[in-house]
Amino acid sequence: MKNNLKIHEQIRPILIEAGKIMLDAVEIENDGGVSEKEGTANFVTLYDVRVQKYIMSEISKVFEEAYFIAEEKDNDSDSLNHSACFIIDPIDGTTNFIHNYKHSCISLALVSYGEVVYGAVYDPYLDEYFHAVKDNGAYLNGKPIRVSSRTLPYAITAFGTAPYYKETLLDKTFSLVNELCRDTADIRRCGSAALDMAYLAAGRNDIFVEFLLSPWDIAAGSLLITEAGGVITDMKGDVIRFTEPMPILAATKGLYGAALEKTRKYF
């Protein structure tokens, strides 16, 4: 798709405005504002729906040819085979959002014929806008970012617990995290995969793992990480796809091999 750099100028104001919907949220748990989807503790709020509806509406005004894959709608993976498919997570970290934890974000990626060409993760609470443009680097509020150069003993491992699948994945998650924690400086569980990946791109953590994530969780973060000099694959070392949920490993180039040795054992 042409004019990838211009896309940032078109998308950023939409996500900033959508972030205001999150910031204005009150009484999230009252008046039927929270419902559950399939899986354990898989919540959706009225604000998830409002943010998604706003973003899709505004993007459609700018990109008449736009297709969408988004968390709070029925999706068709064939949408990826077009010049402009937007993959959207309206509020990544919904449980944090419900609890007023103030660590949630909007995640958006533009996929053109199967390739991510633009990714953005916006945290309205800190007003931090991470974005990446294919072959043009990764940025935080307009300033270039890079993954860290830390060695394993000084690294931080961020992880997700795949909380919707506790019966099958909880024990494996904490077994893997136990191994990684023994070899690294410490671990972090923050409740937003998109922010964990954005933080890796910015050098705030060094390894990220989660046993099952959906396309809208990872699409934007995947470009942030690669454009910032990192590596992201599934936990077996294979190329990630945006057609189905996958186990994810992301790391700096220097730490990826050591982390992959551990994650591969679980498959």
Side-chain angles (χ1 to χ4, degrees), residues 88-105:
I88 302 168
D89 192 338
I91 300 180
D92 186 67
T94 297
T95 301
N96 283 353
F97 180 69
I98 293 169
H99 287 256
N100 199 30
Y101 205 78
K102 299 188 185 302
H103 189 79
S104 306
C105 67

Side-chain angles (χ1 to χ4, degrees), residues 138 144-158 184-185 196-208 224-231 250-256:
I145 53 176
R146 295 287 296 176
V147 298
S148 80
S149 57
R150 297 183 188 98
T151 57
L152 196 62
Y154 298 95
I156 284 178
T157 296
T184 59
D196 283 337
M197 289 187 283
Y199 282 18
L200 197 156
R204 296 176 183 176
N205 64 54
D206 312 282
I207 298 169
F208 170 72
L224 284 168
I225 288 168
T226 55
E227 287 294 320
V231 182
T252 66
K253 286 183 178 179
L255 301 179
Y256 173 77

Side-chain angles (χ1 to χ4, degrees), residues 54-68:
Y54 174 80
I55 293 173
M56 290 176 60
S57 175
E58 293 301 307
I59 285 177
S60 295
K61 296 175 184 177
V62 181
F63 299 87
E64 295 181 358
E65 77 282 16
Y67 289 76
F68 295 96

Side-chain angles (χ1 to χ4, degrees), residues 110-172:
L110 171 57
V111 177
S112 184
Y113 299 111
E115 181 180 46
V116 183
V117 297
Y118 179 80
V121 172
Y122 177 53
D123 177 354
Y125 300 105
L126 297 178
D127 193 25
E128 290 192 328
Y129 193 103
F130 302 84
H131 87 274
V133 178
K134 178 67 176 176
D135 298 326
N136 280 279
Y139 303 85
L140 169 55
N141 291 346
K143 296 182 179 179
I145 53 176
R146 295 287 296 176
V147 298
S148 80
S149 57
R150 297 183 188 98
T151 57
L152 196 62
Y154 298 95
I156 284 178
T157 296
F159 71 102
T161 55
Y164 313 149
Y165 310 96
K166 288 180 181 179
E167 290 187 4
T168 56
L169 296 178
L170 192 65
D171 289 343
K172 287 202 296 186

